[in-house]
Amino acid sequence: MFFSSICVSCGPDLASLRTFRVDEPQERRTNFVYSREELLALRTKGRASKTHPIPEGLPSCYRGRRAGTKLKAKRMEKCWRYKPSIPSVVIWNVNSLANKTDELVALVRNQRLYWECSLLCLAETWLTGNIPDTNVNIPGFATVTADRDARLSGKSKGGGLVLFVNIRWCNPGHVTVKERICCRDIELLAVSLRPYYMPRELSHTIA
């Protein structure tokens, strides 16, 4: 292992700076002499952008630069996921989702309020078992539906709930339906979520 030694001797007007390695021969050791004003000028005074000339006799040290496909993929993954300080929730009474899916997709693509929302909760979807979930899917969101049961609710029209979960905020594999309730008085959809980022005091989110 190599060690460097620095010897500084100060006088009234001059200061000598001597740098050498332990294993460096005596004849190859180099002395640099600076005046008092030059040494005082080396102080940065907190200016990070200020640069100082390096004497040519000092050896240059080249540092590598972090790059590569793996690092770029990790950076892209960090940019892809986002960590909102407070999860944003959009609640919408759509009054029939089947004929408004294209409009909703356009809003998600073009308006920041929709593409960055964590949860998109829709009520009065008017969906039935005859309409598959793939017909109302939105790119970039996981879909959880709770259609109204005409036999349990006693109503043949209306109702229905849909929860769209932003996959940038929560992994679709961590979306679990806890409860679906449909009766004459209430329709309930309870979903357990585990986002990518959560406070340490919390482990799951119930929507």
Side-chain angles (χ1 to χ4, degrees):
M1 182 178 293
F2 301 102
F3 297 89
S4 297
S5 177
I6 299 177
C7 299
V8 179
S9 59
C10 299
D13 297 324
L14 295 177
S16 62
L17 174 64
R18 186 181 183 189
T19 63
F20 58 88
R21 292 181 180 178
V22 175
D23 61 336
E24 188 176 13
Q26 183 69 28
E27 60 275 5
R28 294 184 59 185
R29 296 179 181 179
T30 308
N31 294 329
F32 298 93
V33 180
Y34 296 91
S35 65
R36 181 174 180 275
E37 289 74 14
E38 290 175 340
L39 289 177
L40 292 176
L42 293 177
R43 294 185 299 179
T44 60
K45 297 181 182 180
R47 299 177 183 176
S49 60
K50 188 175 181 180
T51 58
H52 306 287
I54 301 176
E56 297 181 357
L58 290 179
S60 301
C61 179
Y62 295 97
R63 298 180 179 270
R65 184 176 180 181
R66 298 184 65 187
T69 306
K70 187 176 182 180
L71 181 63
K72 291 179 181 178
K74 186 180 294 185
R75 289 177 179 173
M76 288 299 297
E77 185 179 3
K78 290 182 179 180
C79 295
W80 182 74
R81 300 178 185 177
Y82 70 104
K83 181 182 180 181
S85 56
I86 299 177
S88 59
V89 181
V90 176
I91 302 176
W92 188 7
N93 191 327
V94 293
N95 286 331
S96 181
L97 177 61
N99 59 359
K100 297 182 178 68
T101 304
D102 294 338
E103 179 184 355
L104 186 58
V105 171
L107 290 174
V108 170
R109 288 180 177 175
N110 300 305
Q111 293 195 15
R112 184 174 182 178
L113 172 65
Y114 291 91
W115 83 59
E116 285 193 351
C117 72
S118 305
L119 297 173
L120 184 57
C121 306
L122 306 183
E124 294 295 333
T125 59
W126 298 2
L127 298 178
T128 63
N130 299 326
I131 302 177
D133 294 346
T134 54
N135 286 10
V136 295
N137 283 347
I138 301 176
F141 287 80
T143 306
V144 182
T145 62
D147 303 336
R148 172 176 288 182
D149 191 329
R151 181 180 58 84
L152 297 176
S153 64
K155 302 173 184 179
S156 60
K157 187 179 179 181
L161 301 170
V162 172
L163 179 66
F164 292 103
V165 183
N166 197 327
I167 62 176
R168 294 173 57 207
W169 177 69
C170 179
N171 191 329
H174 296 161
V175 178
T176 307
V177 178
K178 292 295 185 180
E179 192 75 32
R180 280 192 179 98
I181 299 177
C182 180
C183 61
R184 292 179 178 272
D185 301 322
I186 189 174
E187 292 183 28
L188 174 66
L189 174 61
V191 181
S192 172
L193 307 167
R194 184 174 177 82
Y196 292 112
Y197 302 99
M198 286 283 290
R200 291 187 177 182
E201 296 79 6
L202 304 176
S203 61
H204 289 76
T205 300
I206 302 295

